[in-house]
Amino acid sequence: MALSRALRCCQRVFSWIPVIIISSVVLWSYYAYVFELCFVTLSNHLERVAYLLIFHVCFIMFCWTYWKAIFTPPSTPSKKFHLSYSDKERYEMEERPDAQKQILTEIAKKLPIFTRAQSGAVRFCDRCQVIKPDRCHHCSVCETCVLKMDHHCPWVNNCVGFSNYKFFLLFLSYSMIYCVFIASTVFQYFLKFWVGDLPNGPAKFHVLFLLFVALMFFVSLMFLFGYHCWLVAKNRSTLEAFSAPVFQNGPDRNGFNVGLSRNLRQVFGEDKKLWFIPVFTSQGDGHYFPLRTLCESENPLLANEGKWMEDGGSDEESAGEIAFNSSAT
């Protein structure tokens, strides 16, 4: 027990190494750009002020989005999706898989669930003892079920899902802007150092490496950001892109694709003025998502949704109505 606890503690410590590496590179880039480039290398006062102003805007937005992506905890299923004490006892006492499957099906009739396991059974997490909502998956690193899980990202040491997917996308976009701005403003001084128009010194090393590092990160971020833009346009998570969600009529990669405009609003919200600001504006609560073709009336698991809604309370009622209206169109 003590050894296992020590190993978990070491794992948590080592999991912060990628974040420390990124933070160290960013802090070095701040020093190299602000001090070695702007204060040491630049001679034009107006150019220096303009560079510093734009740089700090990019730097602040990058740090803000990175912070939100790291420290926003992943959303987990609500209590309605957890087995009650009596249901849990009945499920654990039953040894026959078919009987356990039937018990979960009876419980799930009270919940708005569309997706199934590959076997056609209700998706259930034995570790968390929870019936998984649509698009919810168990993260072995975070050791919990995460709503609309996309992937676990070591560079933010967090699970990217419903609660922070917008922040993750903004982090990628502002990282690219940060790299592009540095590379574009440093390039002319890189050439001057290269041909010998500027004197050798510590600034030369920092300026040369600023360009290389900025271009290297930009290329890698460009592919990752492009891939996630495609996922948002199709309304898929990374997990769903590799393994299509299973519905009553079988697997369907486009099951949650409700059109580009509505897909974007699901992630970024209705107010376009807040799309590029790292505040939470995503639609819903992560438990229910509009469907492309499947109507709720066609799903036997939703036969008693009205009963579930009456028991669910006012905080879940509005989200259930949104899912109903969207999937019925």
Side-chain angles (χ1 to χ4, degrees):
M1 182 66 71
L3 179 61
S4 177
R5 189 176 303 171
L7 290 175
R8 285 198 298 269
C9 183
C10 291
Q11 183 182 9
R12 292 192 186 98
V13 172
F14 287 133
S15 66
W16 284 101
I17 291 179
V19 176
I20 294 173
I21 292 174
I22 294 295
S23 301
S24 301
V25 171
V26 171
L27 289 175
W28 166 78
S29 70
Y30 182 89
Y31 165 78
Y33 192 91
V34 172
F35 294 98
E36 298 294 344
L37 176 70
C38 292
F39 288 120
V40 176
T41 306
L42 268 64
S43 57
N44 188 305
H45 181 69
L46 184 61
E47 184 181 21
R48 178 187 299 141
V49 171
Y51 280 11
L52 286 173
L53 180 62
I54 299 174
F55 172 83
H56 279 92
V57 171
C58 296
F59 181 79
I60 290 171
M61 295 307 298
F62 167 82
C63 292
W64 189 5
T65 54
Y66 193 40
W67 177 276
K68 295 286 284 186
I70 294 173
F71 294 107
T72 300
S75 296
T76 57
S78 66
K79 292 182 179 180
K80 280 294 180 181
F81 290 84
H82 288 259
L83 297 185
S84 65
Y85 178 79
S86 59
D87 289 333
K88 182 179 178 181
E89 188 177 49
R90 186 161 59 104
Y91 177 80
E92 291 178 346
M93 291 180 63
E94 183 58 64
E95 297 180 355
R96 296 171 299 169
D98 290 341
Q100 289 181 330
K101 179 179 176 180
Q102 184 60 34
I103 292 173
L104 293 178
T105 301
E106 292 176 2
I107 299 172
K109 288 180 179 179
K110 306 173 184 178
L111 302 171
I113 298 173
F114 291 96
T115 55
R116 308 282 190 91
Q118 292 292 336
S119 63
V122 173
R123 299 193 312 129
F124 179 73
C125 180
D126 289 316
R127 295 181 180 180
C128 300
Q129 293 292 296
V130 62
I131 294 177
K132 296 178 182 179
D134 292 344
R135 315 186 82 174
C136 175
H137 298 274
H138 184 88
C139 177
S140 59
V141 180
C142 297
E143 297 182 344
T144 187
C145 284
V146 179
L147 296 179
K148 196 188 177 184
M149 178 178 173
D150 188 87
H151 69 289
H152 186 91
C153 180
W155 299 108
V156 300
N157 192 28
N158 198 3
C159 207
V160 177
F162 174 77
S163 62
N164 64 346
Y165 189 57
K166 175 189 174 182
F167 306 145
F168 179 74
L169 290 174
L170 292 179
F171 158 64
L172 294 180
S173 61
Y174 283 116
S175 298
M176 290 178 59
I177 294 173
Y178 184 72
C179 291
V180 168
F181 176 76
I182 288 178
S184 60
T185 53
V186 164
F187 183 70
Q188 60 174 315
Y189 297 98
F190 167 82
L191 293 178
K192 290 181 179 180
F193 275 119
W194 190 265
V195 299
D197 290 346
L198 292 175
N200 291 329
K204 178 179 180 179
F205 165 82
H206 291 286
V207 170
L208 295 180
F209 272 86
L210 263 179
L211 181 64
F212 287 132
V213 172
L215 290 177
M216 179 183 68
F217 275 93
F218 171 75
V219 171
S220 59
L221 288 167
M222 179 178 62
F223 288 105
L224 182 60
F225 180 69
Y227 176 67
H228 278 279
C229 286
W230 178 79
L231 290 177
V232 171
K234 296 292 185 180
N235 204 338
R236 299 176 191 170
S237 66
T238 299
L239 293 176
E240 291 165 353
F242 284 95
S243 179
V246 179
F247 297 90
Q248 182 183 5
N249 298 324
D252 184 3
R253 292 187 185 277
N254 295 313
F256 297 105
N257 187 355
V258 290
L260 178 60
S261 178
R262 294 173 68 185
N263 292 344
L264 288 172
R265 292 201 299 271
Q266 275 191 34
V267 176
F268 295 101
E270 295 288 346
D271 192 351
K272 294 183 178 180
K273 295 188 297 292
L274 299 177
W275 278 19
F276 301 103
I277 300 176
V279 294
F280 184 80
T281 55
S282 300
Q283 293 180 340
D285 62 0
H287 291 85
Y288 335 92
F289 297 92
L291 303 179
R292 182 173 59 92
T293 56
L294 189 63
C295 294
E296 294 186 2
S297 58
E298 297 175 359
N299 191 345
L301 292 179
L302 297 177
N304 294 331
E305 185 190 9
K307 180 178 182 299
W308 182 87
M309 293 302 300
E310 291 176 1
D311 297 337
S314 59
D315 59 330
E316 297 175 354
E317 182 175 358
S318 58
E321 291 177 352
I322 292 174
F324 180 86
N325 294 332
S326 301
S327 60
T329 55

